[in-house]
Amino acid sequence: SHQGQGNTIPHLLFTAPTGYPHEGHPRQPPALITSTMIFKTLAIASTLLHPCAAFTPSSPLAPSAHLTATPRHQHRDSSFELHNDATTSTSESIEPPPLNPLLSQIKPSKTVEVFSLVKQMEAEGESVTSLCVGEPDFAPPSCVLDAATAAMMAGQTTYTAVTGTNELRSAIAADLKSRKGVDYNPVTEIVVGNGAKQCVYQGLLAACGAGDEVIIPAPYWPSYPEMALLVGASPVILETAVEDGYLINPAELEKCLNEHPKAKVLMLCNPSNPTGGVHSTELLTQIATVLSKHPNVVILADEIYERLVYTPDGTTTAFASLPNMRHRTITINGLSKSHAMTGFRVGYLAAPAHFAKAAATLQGQITSCASSVSQAAAVSALTEVDESWLANNSKVMKEKRDYVLGELERMEGVSVAVPPDGAFYVLPDVSGYYDGDDTRLCLDLLKERKLALVPGSSFGAPGTVRISYATSMEELEVAMTKMREFLEGL
């Protein structure tokens, strides 16, 4: 170790990279880096990389000192500040460089916030009943897991084309044609992404930008307005009525479009998150008739829940299949909800070639391809899973929905005007409690009964709470008991 500097930092040797020397870069002897030089460098770096504590030659480094993360509660992004436990520096009072001003407009996902809080409570040893996340409680089909294993063993662990493997894009195109009646070219009109959420964002970014407006029916998935802001557009909220099951009213849509000539995109989530509402073929046709008067509006059809429908025929109509709608529709779908593949992160965008090409260009600069192993599993999901497996899961979800609706009906001051026909959510009205403050209700429910729900205000539906029944029946029974007893105690 280096002597005479009051520490025991060993010498560090910097050697030239492999391949040196070459012309213009003769090999140099190794450079001796002393501990004094290290401390001076760290002291300079610490002033540039605040909030880390500054290093000085008198500051104890490792192993006695360690860094801890402290939440920065004053910022909405719940980021973390790093501090050196062993010393305090005046550099901590220096403000860090400012963030992108755009972030001041973006709200964090309330669902993610609640889920993170639940995980934190569980890590601290508390038992929490959570109905906040839209994630099926069953496992993917065994053939899907086998396909993922086989792909790894066969060495399919490298990059694929940005838009996905030929096998998966062909399987997606075949599925859409056979089940939904829409024909897409797998080479030019389908983009496989890292989950449907990425595909939604890329679809929006491809279709609109600064100065445009995005029509978002409320209640809505909380990411829609924030994504609109991220692409530079302005979200325009189209209110729906609880007595209509929170479905789009064509007359109200036409009025909204007439009042907003800058509207470039209509977000259409069918079945809906968070309401579970399902737009019928008749209603979708009426919506298409309205849109035919506004030819420049693109429809971003988020159909991720289309395999979970509880109407007599158990299906939904793809918006792109309606007359004169394919050329202006960007369809989003995936396998997370239908095949319980949330962690595989595979979604897709199906659209006319100019939209798909734009989305592929964006993805190439953001994440590149989806996981090669996940894509192999997705091929199996689309080509090997029997329809009876999917039908049975839908049947079980309907039974859970019916149970939750029955339990909510027993709770005084709680109502569901129109039972949901799809997805795995219920959005009951609880405005009779806490003067309609659904956020305070959810916080007290979590604190006092250890039951996690998501406030409806985060979905554009104040005075409601979103319940995800995509969990075990045993968990639902515990959750409904907790909710009923909590409300009875108010």
Side-chain angles (χ1 to χ4, degrees), residues 12 31-33 55 112 136 165 172 181 195 201 207 246 249 255 295 324 328 337 346 357 373 405 421 458 479:
L12 299 179
L32 180 65
I33 307 301
F55 290 91
V112 172
T165 64
I172 291 169
Y201 178 65
Y246 294 118
N249 182 310
K255 179 182 177 182
N324 301 316
R328 55 191 293 193
K337 316 300 182 179
V346 177
K357 182 179 180 181
V373 173
L405 289 174
D421 283 328
S458 63

Side-chain angles (χ1 to χ4, degrees), residues 162-163 191 198 202 357-369:
V162 169
T163 53
V191 178
Q198 177 178 17
Q202 291 174 174
K357 182 179 180 181
T361 299
L362 293 168
Q363 185 165 305
Q365 300 298 342
I366 300 172
T367 63
S368 191
C369 64

Side-chain angles (χ1 to χ4, degrees), residues 286-352:
Q286 293 174 14
I287 292 171
T289 299
V290 171
L291 289 166
S292 66
K293 305 171 187 177
H294 301 270
N296 292 327
V297 176
V298 175
I299 300 88
L300 200 152
D302 186 347
E303 300 177 355
I304 189 70
Y305 295 97
E306 53 94 12
R307 281 288 204 167
L308 295 167
V309 177
Y310 316 124
T311 56
D313 62 1
T315 62
T316 60
T317 297
F319 198 82
S321 70
L322 298 175
N324 301 316
M325 288 296 121
R326 183 191 181 282
H327 73 284
R328 55 191 293 193
T329 300
I330 299 174
T331 298
I332 308 296
N333 210 329
L335 302 163
S336 294
K337 316 300 182 179
S338 58
H339 293 73
M341 295 173 62
T342 52
F344 283 82
R345 307 313 302 135
V346 177
Y348 66 82
L349 176 153

Side-chain angles (χ1 to χ4, degrees), residues 6 157 197 217 220 295 317 341 386 389 405 441 456 467 473 482:
T157 55
K197 178 178 280 191
Y220 46 74
T317 297
M341 295 173 62
D386 193 86
W389 185 89
L405 289 174
L441 186 152
I467 296 173
M473 186 62 78
K482 287 183 175 182

